[in-house]
Amino acid sequence: MKVFVAHCGPNKSEYKFHSPPIGLMYLAAYLEREFPGITIELMDMKVSSGGPEEVADRASEFDPDIIGLGAMTVHAPQLNKTAECVRKRLPDPLIVAGGPHATCFAGKVLDHTNAFDAAVLGEGEKALANIVRAYSNGGSIDDINAVATRKHLDFSERDIIDNLDDLPFPAWDKIDITEYFKYPSFTILGKRKYMALFTSRACPYHCIYCHNIFGNKFRPRSPDSVIEEITILVERYGIRDFDILDDVFNLNKARAAQICNRIIEAGLDIQLAFPNGLRSDLLDEEMITLLRRAGTTYISFAIETASPRLQKLIRKNLKLERAANSIRIANKLGILCNGFFMLGFPTETEDELKMTIDFATTSKLDVAHFLKVTPFEGTQLYDLVDDETRKVFEDHPEYLNYEDRTFNLSEVPGPRFRRIFRSALMKFYLNPIRILRIFAHHPHWTNLIQFIPTALKRVFIKG
């Protein structure tokens, strides 16, 4: 049995971030363990020079029995085109869609093109293994949990792995790890020898803008498992930088502390970055200090809005003063602090927009990303937008990009909203005190100074 799996999207000249395809590596490792003798090849378009035709070339050369293609929703056009190119060249293999887009829009994926035979919902290890098992035995794939086909369109079933320690470590040997050292990751720390890690899956919170691909049941790996993976990457590949991609690494404070203490006790000379993996109002000085001692150099604080009313509306319910205090502590300890803010929620007023901007600009954040609210279909937020807005998204999936500034869902008129949006970045990044602090305290200041004009340019171009 031969399985070919590819991440679809723009190629390396168009991508801004080039994080290793850890999901594909988990799939490969799981299939190799479940099916001794299976042959698997992975391809990541983020680090390739070509497009869909190159995927078809690689797949044709490999001659697989099953092909898996995954993508984010914003890259749905590339996913569909890739599937059609592959199907044209290879009429016989089973072609399966996976990843966030297939999870949220399985019906549309199967309806859009006849190239796909099935779509996997949610995390894919068990589902893809069941597809391989059924296909290799000549059986049907129409009654497999978490797999949608044209004969089986019940999307309610998911097939999660409860004990993540049962998963093998990602199949790092299936990719060229060094290729990812040439590009920035999801942080702004520049090019470095790093690897992405998941120490847990899922988030128990119910934010209305989130797809919750991994579900709401928080499933942590044990500290033993996490430390073993880090140690292997240090010893085998010489990697010293790690991006923790959990939804909420610190949900269980005791477990998070154990991981940090184990890193310290083992004398692992590493650096940790949290592009999105911490809940800021669950942090305290003790935890942040421990994170710093364990090597943390970068934390993203996902604030979204500083309006208490909107915090309730979006069901994030972040305790804003605790979050602000966490930022102050992290800054004091020399951790590079990034903030995420969403502007333009339905019913948002001008006063609430300014409230969020004031929170950001008066904070100790070093970096801030001001993003327009994007209502993805399949989320509760999508239910709050009007039919006209939904129609535009349906016709233009390329707008479903967190940096796109096409829509304004707030109560503020469009021209005024755009002026306020521009003023947010100007007020934040042209603060001389913030710039001097970056120079004085952060070893990554060169990357930050390069980032500032990029952020401002993006605002004035896309506004």
Side-chain angles (χ1 to χ4, degrees):
M1 174 66 69
K2 299 172 73 175
V3 178
F4 177 87
V5 185
H7 175 276
C8 300
N11 62 31
K12 63 184 179 182
S13 66
E14 301 170 276
Y15 253 101
K16 294 179 182 176
F17 311 112
H18 296 74
S19 183
I22 190 168
L24 301 192
M25 292 188 284
Y26 267 118
L27 287 175
Y30 191 83
L31 292 180
E32 286 187 325
R33 187 186 70 183
E34 296 297 304
F35 305 97
I38 196 172
T39 306
I40 302 170
E41 182 169 330
L42 302 183
M43 179 179 178
D44 185 0
M45 289 180 71
K46 293 194 301 293
V47 291
S48 70
S49 300
E53 290 290 350
E54 183 179 347
V55 179
D57 289 341
R58 287 272 299 274
S60 297
E61 184 179 340
F62 186 61
D63 192 26
D65 302 286
I66 297 175
I67 297 170
L69 303 174
M72 303 286 285
T73 294
V74 68
H75 301 139
Q78 290 98 326
L79 175 69
N80 293 329
K81 186 175 180 180
T82 302
E84 289 163 358
C85 287
V86 171
R87 176 60 78 199
K88 185 176 180 180
R89 300 274 291 278
L90 295 166
D92 296 326
L94 190 73
I95 302 182
V96 180
H101 182 61
T103 296
C104 299
F105 305 108
K108 289 185 177 181
V109 168
L110 295 174
D111 288 342
H112 185 85
T113 173
N114 290 326
F116 285 113
D117 299 294
V120 169
L121 313 179
E123 54 194 74
E125 290 90 358
K126 284 186 177 181
L128 188 55
N130 287 333
I131 289 173
V132 171
R133 189 172 292 110
Y135 192 74
S136 62
N137 293 331
S140 171
I141 65 169
D142 290 324
D143 57 354
I144 298 175
N145 282 354
V147 176
T149 66
R150 290 177 181 83
K151 293 182 180 179
H152 178 74
L153 294 175
D154 180 3
F155 305 142
S156 60
E157 291 291 337
R158 297 291 174 90
D159 213 348
I160 66 172
I161 295 172
D162 286 310
N163 184 359
L164 296 185
D165 284 3
D166 286 343
L167 281 173
F169 294 138
W172 304 295
D173 60 313
K174 297 296 180 184
I175 65 168
D176 180 359
I177 286 181
T178 62
E179 189 67 23
Y180 294 87
F181 302 162
K182 302 175 184 177
Y183 306 100
S185 70
F186 290 117
T187 68
I188 58 168
L189 299 179
K191 302 172 186 178
R192 65 207 213 283
K193 293 177 67 173
Y194 81 101
M195 180 49 66
L197 293 178
F198 275 108
T199 81
S200 67
R201 289 183 180 180
C203 174
Y205 296 95
H206 298 274
C207 303
I208 66 172
Y209 50 81
C210 182
H211 275 120
N212 236 324
I213 300 297
F214 289 125
N216 290 114
K217 182 182 179 182
F218 179 70
R219 289 161 286 139
R221 291 170 56 195
S222 68
D224 285 345
S225 174
V226 175
I227 298 302
E228 183 180 357
E229 180 175 1
I230 290 173
T231 302
I232 291 172
L233 286 164
V234 169
E235 294 177 350
R236 187 180 301 174
Y237 298 101
I239 290 173
R240 297 285 175 179
D241 283 72
F242 297 90
D243 284 2
I244 309 296
L245 301 184
D246 300 24
D247 289 327
V248 54
F249 172 83
N250 62 322
L251 182 68
N252 183 326
K253 181 181 177 181
R255 185 196 77 109
Q258 285 176 20
I259 292 172
C260 291
N261 281 320
R262 291 284 299 276
I263 290 171
I264 297 165
E265 292 163 5
L268 292 170
D269 181 18
I270 62 174
Q271 295 189 81
L272 303 177
F274 291 85
N276 65 296
L278 293 169
R279 172 91 182 188
S280 53
D281 59 355
L282 295 182
L283 291 170
D284 55 25
E285 186 162 9
E286 179 186 21
M287 188 69 240
I288 298 172
T289 301
L290 195 53
L291 285 166
R292 185 70 186 95
R293 289 182 59 211
T296 299
T297 59
Y298 178 98
I299 292 177
S300 284
F301 296 87
I303 306 300
E304 320 309 3
T305 176
S307 161
R309 181 186 74 86
L310 290 176
Q311 282 288 339
K312 293 179 181 178
L313 175 71
I314 67 177
R315 299 180 67 188
K316 186 178 181 91
N317 294 312
L318 188 73
K319 296 177 177 61
L320 292 162
E321 183 48 46
R322 288 188 186 179
N325 190 50
S326 294
I327 294 169
R328 286 191 289 269
I329 295 168
N331 174 268
K332 182 179 67 175
L333 294 174
I335 296 172
L336 179 59
C337 298
N338 169 55
F340 285 117
F341 300 92
M342 300 170 71
L343 302 178
F345 284 106
T347 76
E348 187 166 12
T349 66
E350 182 168 332
D351 285 345
E352 287 173 320
L353 286 170
K354 292 179 177 178
M355 199 180 298
T356 297
I357 294 168
D358 287 346
F359 181 102
T361 55
T362 60
S363 73
K364 293 294 185 178
L365 291 169
D366 301 293
V367 183
H369 289 77
F370 295 95
L371 308 170
K372 275 193 177 179
V373 173
T374 303
F376 285 89
E377 187 175 348
T379 66
Q380 295 175 55
L381 177 61
Y382 187 79
D383 296 336
L384 299 181
V385 303
D386 56 40
D387 291 339
E388 182 179 352
T389 301
R390 294 180 189 179
K391 183 67 166 62
V392 174
F393 278 131
E394 289 173 3
D395 294 341
H396 299 279
E398 67 273 16
Y399 292 166
L400 293 171
N401 185 323
Y402 69 87
E403 288 187 346
D404 193 274
R405 296 182 170 85
T406 303
F407 292 100
N408 165 29
L409 306 177
S410 76
E411 295 295 313
V412 182
R416 178 64 178 160
F417 179 82
R418 287 190 290 273
R419 285 196 294 273
I420 293 172
F421 194 93
R422 289 192 185 101
S423 71
L425 281 104
M426 296 291 291
K427 190 175 179 182
F428 187 90
Y429 283 111
L430 298 184
N431 181 335
I433 295 175
R434 178 170 285 106
I435 294 173
L436 288 172
R437 189 173 71 234
I438 290 171
F439 271 107
H441 293 108
H442 292 300
H444 302 289
W445 65 266
T446 53
N447 296 316
L448 288 172
I449 297 305
Q450 292 171 13
F451 175 80
I452 291 172
T454 300
L456 294 174
K457 179 181 178 182
R458 191 164 60 237
V459 169
F460 285 107
I461 290 175
K462 293 186 176 182

